[in-house]
Each structure stands twice: as structure tokens, then as C-alpha cells.
Amino acid sequence: MKFYIYFLLLSSICFSQDLTVKFALKLTKPNDYCSVTKKFTLNQNTNQSIFQLDDIRNIHQFKYADRASVVSDKDSIVAYMIDENNIEFLYQEKCFKDFRNNYQIYNYNIGMSLKCYNVKDDLDLFDWKLVNEKDTLIANFKCKKAQTKFRGREYIAYYTNEIANQGGPWKFDGLPGFILKVYSIDGYLSIDTESVLFNAALKQTVNNPFADKKSMAFDDLKTEIVKREKIAFAKA
């Protein structure tokens, strides 16, 4: 009985530890010149997490950085010209999660508008199917495998219950553990863990950067994108 109580106490301590996890998010685009590997940091405590891009002015995140140059730099959005034919944007991407109230808010940039929209969504977006395979070691943690289909793409994820019982990079969540790796079957997206740091002594505070800002539903964002595309097409 004493051992059981000790085990529960130890598990509670482990899962209440604050985390800082470094991720590399790679986008392999159809036009390979625009492919990019962006560096993100996720800070998480028991109740909340924030996942955000480290540096929008690091031109070396682009695969062809030697062909890239800055054409516009406006506070939280930087436009880059890639090989004189393609414009790509790096903006201060953020994804905030509230585990207690089961929601997340993230910002989304609509290309040439140089404007970001804040989107509020459920935390449980994904209908995961757990895969019964031998554990995979990622960042020195034993991980289990899961798969899902979401908004036109198939994804594979690896999660561990050695770190926390929830959480993960970007919008990915909803598995019985912390997600350390995600990739899409078509090769477009991959997210890999670079480091994991436990900050139990720091007791970091995770703040909601969207607390005093308007947000919209994902369906409203799709409507806004279609509207802007029609305007751009009419001007072409």
C-alpha cells in the first residue's frame, strides 16, 4: 500500500513538471524553393501550453536561404523573396492551449494580406487510432504510435506517457501522452523533437497571448480566405 501511494505521488510530480520542448517543423512544398524548416519552442505546465516560432528573421530556416532576401519587414510578419519568383512569409506563429477548458487558439496569416487572424478551435480535433507496435525511442523517451486523417491529410504521431499525459506541438493533441513527433504521409509536414527540458524548479507561467483579442471559428477563416482569393482574382 505504501509503495502504491508513493507511485501515485511520483507520477503526480512527474506530470506536474513544467516543460520546455524544442521542435523543428519542416514544410516540404510542391515548389521546393519555398520549403522551410522552422524552429519552435513549446512551454507547458499542468493547465496550459504555448507553442511559438522562435525567430521570424532567421533567413536560414529556408531550404534555399542563399537565394532568399527580405522584401518587407513589418513587426510580426516578414516577407521573403525566394529566387526572385516566389514570396514566402514568416510570422510570429503561436498556438495556445487550455487543457482545463478544452480549447486552443492559434494565429493564421493569409499570404499577401500581411494580416493574421486568430482562430479558436477544440482541443480534441483529431480522431486518433492507436497502433499496436513495439515502442519507438524518440529523444530518449519510449513512444507509442498513432495515426489519423485530418482535413485532407493522413498523419502519423508518436507520443509518450513518460513526460505528460497530454500536449504536443502545434494543433496536435488528444493522445494519452505527450506528442514528440508528427509527420504527414504525403511528406508535406514533419515535426521532430530536438530537446526536452523539465523545469520543475522554475514553475514557469504560460500566458494566453490572445486573451484580449478577437478570434474566429475555423469555418469563418475558410470563408475569409475564399473572399480574399476572389478579390485577388478579380484584380488580376
Side-chain angles (χ1 to χ4, degrees), residues 192-205:
D192 294 281
T193 294
E194 295 192 324
S195 66
V196 178
L197 176 65
F198 293 93
N199 299 318
L202 300 180
K203 289 296 179 184
Q204 64 186 16
T205 300

Side-chain angles (χ1 to χ4, degrees), residues 180-203:
L180 285 174
K181 179 181 178 67
V182 182
Y183 65 88
S184 62
I185 297 296
D186 63 1
Y188 174 73
L189 169 73
S190 65
I191 306 176
D192 294 281
T193 294
E194 295 192 324
S195 66
V196 178
L197 176 65
F198 293 93
N199 299 318
L202 300 180
K203 289 296 179 184

Side-chain angles (χ1 to χ4, degrees), residues 125-184:
L125 288 176
F126 303 91
D127 184 16
W128 293 105
K129 178 183 177 182
L130 305 186
V131 180
N132 186 18
E133 290 185 358
K134 184 179 179 181
D135 289 350
T136 300
L137 198 64
I138 298 175
N140 293 320
F141 296 98
K142 293 181 180 178
C143 294
K144 298 186 181 300
K145 184 179 179 180
Q147 61 187 43
T148 190
K149 293 182 179 180
F150 180 71
R151 293 174 183 167
R153 280 196 166 89
E154 295 183 45
Y155 295 94
I156 299 294
Y158 290 89
Y159 65 96
T160 180
N161 56 18
E162 295 179 345
I163 294 177
N165 56 13
Q166 60 193 349
W170 197 37
K171 294 185 285 186
F172 294 99
D173 218 299
L175 283 167
F178 187 88
I179 299 171
L180 285 174
K181 179 181 178 67
V182 182
Y183 65 88
S184 62

Side-chain angles (χ1 to χ4, degrees), residues 1-207:
M1 184 66 177
K2 289 183 178 179
F3 174 78
Y4 178 70
I5 294 174
Y6 172 77
F7 176 77
L8 289 179
L9 179 61
L10 180 61
S11 298
S12 175
I13 291 172
C14 289
F15 288 159
S16 65
Q17 285 180 326
D18 292 359
L19 297 171
T20 295
V21 185
K22 296 286 188 178
F23 288 98
L25 187 154
K26 182 179 180 180
L27 296 175
T28 302
K29 301 189 178 183
N31 181 348
D32 194 40
Y33 284 117
C34 299
S35 296
V36 61
T37 300
K38 297 182 281 190
K39 304 293 185 176
F40 284 82
T41 298
L42 182 146
N43 291 315
Q44 177 171 315
N45 59 33
T46 305
N47 300 317
Q48 301 172 319
S49 75
I50 181 72
F51 176 77
Q52 51 193 339
L53 185 63
D54 290 344
D55 187 1
I56 62 174
R57 294 175 177 83
N58 180 4
I59 200 169
H60 297 289
Q61 292 173 107
F62 289 101
K63 182 175 180 180
Y64 295 94
D66 58 326
R67 304 187 183 191
S69 60
V70 176
V71 293
S72 176
D73 189 337
K74 295 185 177 180
D75 297 328
S76 60
I77 302 176
V78 181
Y80 294 88
M81 180 70 75
I82 313 294
D83 197 41
E84 299 183 356
N85 293 308
N86 306 284
I87 294 181
E88 286 293 304
F89 299 88
L90 291 182
Y91 63 100
Q92 197 56 61
E93 294 179 65
K94 298 178 182 179
C95 180
F96 170 81
K97 295 178 181 178
D98 187 320
F99 300 121
R100 291 176 300 177
N101 298 300
N102 195 42
Y103 74 85
Q104 59 182 313
I105 303 178
Y106 54 90
N107 58 349
Y108 187 91
N109 168 245
I110 302 180
M112 298 297 291
S113 68
L114 293 178
K115 179 179 180 180
C116 285
Y117 295 86
N118 302 323
V119 182
K120 187 173 183 178
D121 228 330
D122 291 333
L123 202 57
D124 299 324
L125 288 176
F126 303 91
D127 184 16
W128 293 105
K129 178 183 177 182
L130 305 186
V131 180
N132 186 18
E133 290 185 358
K134 184 179 179 181
D135 289 350
T136 300
L137 198 64
I138 298 175
N140 293 320
F141 296 98
K142 293 181 180 178
C143 294
K144 298 186 181 300
K145 184 179 179 180
Q147 61 187 43
T148 190
K149 293 182 179 180
F150 180 71
R151 293 174 183 167
R153 280 196 166 89
E154 295 183 45
Y155 295 94
I156 299 294
Y158 290 89
Y159 65 96
T160 180
N161 56 18
E162 295 179 345
I163 294 177
N165 56 13
Q166 60 193 349
W170 197 37
K171 294 185 285 186
F172 294 99
D173 218 299
L175 283 167
F178 187 88
I179 299 171
L180 285 174
K181 179 181 178 67
V182 182
Y183 65 88
S184 62
I185 297 296
D186 63 1
Y188 174 73
L189 169 73
S190 65
I191 306 176
D192 294 281
T193 294
E194 295 192 324
S195 66
V196 178
L197 176 65
F198 293 93
N199 299 318
L202 300 180
K203 289 296 179 184
Q204 64 186 16
T205 300
V206 177
N207 295 314

